[in-house]
Amino acid sequence: MPRVEKLSIAGKKTAAVAVSVRSQAVATATTKRGAEVEFESKVFTKEKINLAGREEYIVRGGRNLYPLLPEAFKGIKKIGVIGWGSQGPAQAQNIRDSLAEINSDITVSIGLRPNSSSAKDARRCGFTEEAGTLGDVTTVISESDLVILLISDAAQADNHEAILGAMKPGAVLGLSHGFLLGHLQSQGKSFRDDISVVAVCPKGMGPSVRRLYVQGKEVNGSGINASFAVHQDVDGRATDVALGWSVALGSPFTFATTLEDEYKSDIFGERGILLGAVHGLVESLFRRYTAGGMSDEEAFKNTVECITGNLSKTISTKGMLAVYDSLSEEGKKEFETAYAASYHPAMDILLECYEDVACGNEIRSVVLAGRRFSPKEGFPAFPMGKIDQTHMWKVGEKVRAARAPGALGPLHPFTAGAYVAVMMAQIQVLRLKGHSYSEICNESVIEAVDSLNPFMHARGVAFMVDNCSTTARLGSRKWAPRFDYNLTQQAFVAVDNNAPVDAAIIKAFKTDPVHDALAGCASLRPSVDIAVTADADYVREELRQ
């Protein structure tokens, strides 16, 4: 029998909710993984693509599909977006604007805690109590047919019984991250049997989701790619609801995954090359270059500016091999030296990180960290500290102030080799763990160069990391020093000791099938490059200038 608990959200008691303790949710869609995940849509056309010899199915997006949204959202009168962090503002506004374009009567409402400091910003974006589009969490959840849960992962873990208990039978729970599933699995629980559970997971931070949607209003299909998953379907509508949600966000293409694969690849990826690894790498390289006699400004240009500018642009449009091919013969040797030395030390940390995510250790770490944000047991609060106050990042402020508009920085061969090595090591870990190429390419390459790195290029590492979710911000802070240490103590020491370049590692890089997979994904990339301005009004309020 299920056990019954009562929890509260914002001090309010909710109805008792049955929390299943069975190991597997009822009516789950599929147990297949990677490219084997299957789906059928009654509304949207699925398209077969071939990525490095693996066939996958996607749904191509576009504003021309908005007239199909009422059919996809059949039975849905109110969409409740719960939370106003990284993804909340972007998703709520994109869905609302897409529905408005077709004069839909579906309402998009925001659910916040009473007296939430985010209410002011939600009102600024057009959600108000008077219009019935801004209310308290419990009320919005109980009234919504689709509940898009975008509060922090730690808050989801601590409040999921009350959240699920407030939902009406037959409603759809929408997640943009599989963290909650991982938490439930670690507790031996599952979702309620009488609700559908789906996920739509944009492959970029919330500000990127909104920025590209707005930039592309005159360009059909411009936005951020997304994955989708149907974890539980109680009435046959779940797939089309999820795909409709993704189309309404402006996703150029949507690929299928499972909720479990999503949270493993996503939590892992943001600790890896997307955030944590790149942070650790540039700090390690900056020290190395300055110790070798390079000026502070030149060291910053040849680390951060190289990665966020020239390197990201080349990978985004032409692929990783194009970076190597663009170098001189001497540059290629330097690239190979850095790549061969960095590949295994990076993979060592990446494999540890993936396995920590998969076994639940990293999920527990996030939940416990969230609880330390407030005083407890006589201890003071320990909020997240700043990550851009050291000398290196102050140098970066000067470099950006003097940078010519549109300048992409140099392409330093050693920096490029080390960065691509970490990226390829992450790709290999995900591949050996059974993920699809769509997921691998988006979580290891596309999200980095098209969504995240442009924010570091605009205003530094904190502007990139701290525009992301709480889980991502915590993970980046935790794992960046691990990459810094391994690269400094292992990779670069091997270079200084003139260790021979492992020709097999370089050959494997040049012939890796992921290059073909990336070329396939590149043909589906957004047609508009993100333009990040330092005074952006679409980022977290505390990061605006």
Side-chain angles (χ1 to χ4, degrees), residues 125-204:
C125 294
F127 299 96
T128 66
E129 294 89 343
E130 294 77 11
T133 55
L134 177 62
D136 71 85
V137 170
T138 305
T139 300
V140 173
I141 291 174
S142 65
E143 294 176 349
S144 296
D145 306 294
L146 168 59
V147 177
I148 300 177
L149 187 61
L150 299 177
I151 60 175
S152 73
D153 292 332
Q156 289 185 33
D158 285 341
N159 295 289
H160 66 272
E161 289 98 336
I163 291 167
L164 295 176
M167 291 181 65
K168 54 188 178 182
V172 181
L173 175 64
L175 305 169
S176 280
H177 191 14
F179 184 98
L180 182 54
L181 173 65
H183 175 72
L184 291 175
Q185 289 175 332
S186 72
Q187 302 292 310
K189 302 175 184 176
S190 63
F191 296 101
R192 271 174 51 182
D193 295 346
D194 61 345
I195 61 171
S196 293
V197 180
V198 303
V200 171
C201 310
K203 300 297 110 178

Side-chain angles (χ1 to χ4, degrees), residues 392-458:
M392 172 184 176
W393 299 105
K394 296 302 179 183
V395 171
E397 292 175 5
K398 297 177 182 178
V399 170
R400 289 190 297 274
R403 185 172 65 201
L408 294 177
L411 181 59
H412 193 287
F414 193 92
T415 299
Y419 180 79
V420 173
V422 180
M423 186 171 273
M424 287 295 298
Q426 180 163 313
I427 288 167
Q428 180 68 345
V429 170
L430 287 172
R431 183 165 45 201
L432 291 176
K433 292 296 184 178
H435 293 266
S436 70
Y437 268 126
S438 285
E439 198 152 56
I440 292 168
C441 292
N442 276 281
E443 293 287 359
S444 303
V445 183
I446 297 171
E447 186 170 355
V449 299
D450 286 343
S451 172
L452 295 168
N453 287 350
F455 279 77
M456 183 155 60
H457 193 69

Side-chain angles (χ1 to χ4, degrees), residues 23 99 118 154 167 180 284 307 391 396 411 439 443 448:
S23 61
L99 291 170
S118 299
M167 291 181 65
L180 182 54
S284 179
I307 288 172
H391 174 67
L411 181 59
E439 198 152 56
E443 293 287 359

Side-chain angles (χ1 to χ4, degrees), residues 240-253:
D240 284 324
V241 169
L243 290 171
W245 171 13
S246 188
V247 167
L249 290 181
S251 305
F253 79 89

Side-chain angles (χ1 to χ4, degrees), residues 9-290:
I9 297 179
K12 294 185 178 181
K13 290 289 183 181
T14 68
V17 53
V19 181
S20 172
V21 296
R22 287 169 294 174
S23 61
Q24 190 172 11
V26 171
T28 50
T30 178
T31 57
K32 294 183 178 180
R33 296 190 59 227
E36 297 177 343
V37 177
E38 299 173 354
F39 67 94
E40 297 295 334
S41 172
K42 302 180 182 74
V43 179
F44 301 102
T45 302
K46 71 177 186 180
E47 178 181 336
K48 183 187 292 186
I49 60 172
N50 189 299
L51 299 179
R54 297 186 187 180
E55 290 185 345
E56 299 184 31
Y57 287 96
I58 65 165
V59 169
R60 198 181 293 267
R63 294 172 185 268
N64 59 303
L65 298 180
Y66 291 175
L68 298 178
L69 293 177
E71 186 179 355
F73 289 147
K74 187 176 180 180
I76 292 175
K77 294 298 182 183
K78 185 170 184 175
I79 298 173
V81 177
I82 311 303
W84 195 263
S86 175
Q87 288 287 335
Q91 294 204 29
Q93 291 180 87
N94 287 14
I95 296 170
R96 178 197 62 190
D97 293 355
S98 297
L99 291 170
E101 283 196 20
I102 56 171
N103 298 313
S104 170
D105 61 356
I106 298 174
T107 301
V108 178
S109 297
I110 306 300
L112 299 175
R113 299 187 309 273
N115 303 313
S116 170
S117 60
S118 299
K120 179 181 177 181
D121 200 49
R123 294 186 192 104
R124 182 185 69 85
C125 294
F127 299 96
T128 66
E129 294 89 343
E130 294 77 11
T133 55
L134 177 62
D136 71 85
V137 170
T138 305
T139 300
V140 173
I141 291 174
S142 65
E143 294 176 349
S144 296
D145 306 294
L146 168 59
V147 177
I148 300 177
L149 187 61
L150 299 177
I151 60 175
S152 73
D153 292 332
Q156 289 185 33
D158 285 341
N159 295 289
H160 66 272
E161 289 98 336
I163 291 167
L164 295 176
M167 291 181 65
K168 54 188 178 182
V172 181
L173 175 64
L175 305 169
S176 280
H177 191 14
F179 184 98
L180 182 54
L181 173 65
H183 175 72
L184 291 175
Q185 289 175 332
S186 72
Q187 302 292 310
K189 302 175 184 176
S190 63
F191 296 101
R192 271 174 51 182
D193 295 346
D194 61 345
I195 61 171
S196 293
V197 180
V198 303
V200 171
C201 310
K203 300 297 110 178
M205 66 170 82
S208 294
V209 173
R210 181 60 178 168
R211 181 59 172 162
L212 273 170
Y213 179 93
V214 173
Q215 281 184 242
K217 281 200 170 182
E218 304 304 319
V219 181
N220 192 40
S222 179
I224 289 285
N225 300 332
S227 62
F228 90 99
V230 175
H231 184 72
Q232 194 164 288
D233 187 354
V234 298
D235 57 15
R237 296 184 299 133
T239 295
D240 284 324
V241 169
L243 290 171
W245 171 13
S246 188
V247 167
L249 290 181
S251 305
F253 79 89
T254 306
F255 63 91
T257 186
T258 66
L259 204 53
E260 185 168 352
D261 273 357
E262 192 286 326
Y263 83 72
K264 289 178 180 177
S265 63
D266 188 77
I267 297 175
F268 162 72
E270 61 202 17
R271 283 146 179 74
I273 196 63
L274 301 182
L275 298 174
V278 68
H279 185 186
L281 171 63
V282 294
E283 294 217 355
S284 179
L285 286 172
F286 181 85
R287 293 196 309 273
R288 178 178 178 82
Y289 292 163
T290 54

